[in-house]
Amino acid sequence: MAEGLRERKKRETRQRISDIATGLFLERGFVTVTMADVAEAADVSVNTVYNYFPAKEDLFFDRSAGVVDRLPRWVRGRDAGESAARAVLRELREEVETVSPRVGLMEGYDRFMRVIHEAPPLRSRLWSLQQEIQDNLESALREEAGAAAGDPLPGLIAGQICWIHQTVFVRIGREMVAGRNPDEVSREVLVLLDDIEDVLSEKVLNYAVRDSE
């Protein structure tokens, strides 16, 4: 269905508030910026900000929904004959090889990481997001593999795949904070992905292989 005028205006307002808040957080830090500061800068009421974002952490991690759903989406979209882990490795390689901002390979990502490092509430929310990612992935793996409710394997495999994902992001974040060039980091992380694949067991690499059609 086509987006109505009311829905479009609400989406645009939400995006504008998010963009302005991000700029304030990067400039002044997360802890010092208040919801009232965001409302004033966006020329809206404080209640309007809270209507779109119940907590200040929601403003900072506004695009977290795409991250939380990423691994399950990659697993469900895997090719015929491809396992869950190999699908994630393939998708990560493509993101890294194209120097994608979606994995943090961009100028200015160091500022984003520093804001998180300096704000305990953001570090706590990031941990919660990582748990949500793993829970969602486990559910997807259980469904895709047709595993029984009490089977522990989907949870174990989800933990391994999340380790792959987190290892890549931690490495990229550390290098970007150090002021490295995104293209150089990309080449190094591609080597890291090969090393990661080498240390994974065959059981992980061959779990939930999609039937060939």
Side-chain angles (χ1 to χ4, degrees):
M1 295 180 61
E3 183 181 38
L5 178 61
R6 179 181 175 84
E7 289 72 21
R8 179 173 61 81
K9 286 187 175 181
K10 288 176 65 175
R11 175 177 56 79
E12 290 174 347
T13 299
R14 187 185 193 283
Q15 188 62 56
R16 185 167 60 85
I17 293 171
S18 174
D19 291 344
I20 289 171
T22 298
L24 291 174
F25 294 145
L26 293 177
E27 179 186 349
R28 293 158 49 183
F30 179 79
V31 175
T32 59
V33 174
T34 67
M35 295 293 256
D37 293 332
V38 174
E40 182 179 2
D43 195 24
V44 297
S45 70
V46 174
N47 284 340
T48 297
V49 177
Y50 276 110
N51 284 340
Y52 288 106
F53 303 97
K56 196 164 62 163
E57 292 85 349
D58 297 322
L59 270 168
F60 189 85
F61 289 114
D62 182 31
R63 294 166 180 81
S64 64
V67 176
V68 167
D69 296 336
R70 176 185 292 162
L71 294 182
R73 186 172 67 250
W74 286 351
V75 167
R76 290 192 172 100
R78 67 197 185 284
D79 297 332
E82 188 176 45
S83 72
R86 291 190 191 280
V88 170
L89 286 165
R90 173 177 54 78
E91 294 279 3
L92 279 172
R93 282 192 177 99
E94 290 177 4
E95 296 276 14
V96 172
E97 191 169 12
T98 57
V99 196
S100 172
R102 288 188 294 268
V103 290
L105 290 168
M106 62 179 180
E107 301 293 342
Y109 189 66
D110 57 317
R111 296 169 61 200
F112 179 83
M113 294 301 296
R114 286 193 181 96
V115 173
I116 295 176
H117 178 74
E118 294 168 359
L122 291 181
R123 296 201 301 272
S124 178
R125 174 61 69 88
L126 185 59
W127 182 87
S128 296
L129 287 172
Q130 290 167 345
Q131 292 300 116
E132 189 176 354
I133 289 170
Q134 184 161 335
D135 290 343
N136 286 354
L137 178 59
E138 179 179 349
S139 296
L141 287 170
R142 193 172 296 280
E143 179 183 328
E144 292 294 308
D151 186 350
L153 202 50
L156 295 174
I157 301 296
Q160 290 288 290
I161 292 176
C162 285
W163 168 76
I164 297 169
H165 188 252
Q166 187 173 359
T167 298
V168 168
F169 272 82
V170 167
R171 175 66 175 273
I172 290 173
R174 183 171 64 238
E175 298 301 330
M176 296 308 295
V177 167
R180 299 285 309 284
N181 178 279
D183 292 314
E184 293 177 356
V185 176
S186 168
R187 291 190 289 271
E188 292 175 6
V189 174
L190 286 173
V191 174
L192 175 65
L193 280 164
D194 290 340
D195 292 339
I196 288 173
E197 186 167 2
D198 286 343
V199 302
L200 292 172
S201 72
E202 288 300 311
K203 192 158 194 174
V204 173
L205 288 171
N206 294 309
Y207 186 78
V209 175
R210 168 155 287 165
D211 292 337
S212 299
E213 300 188 22

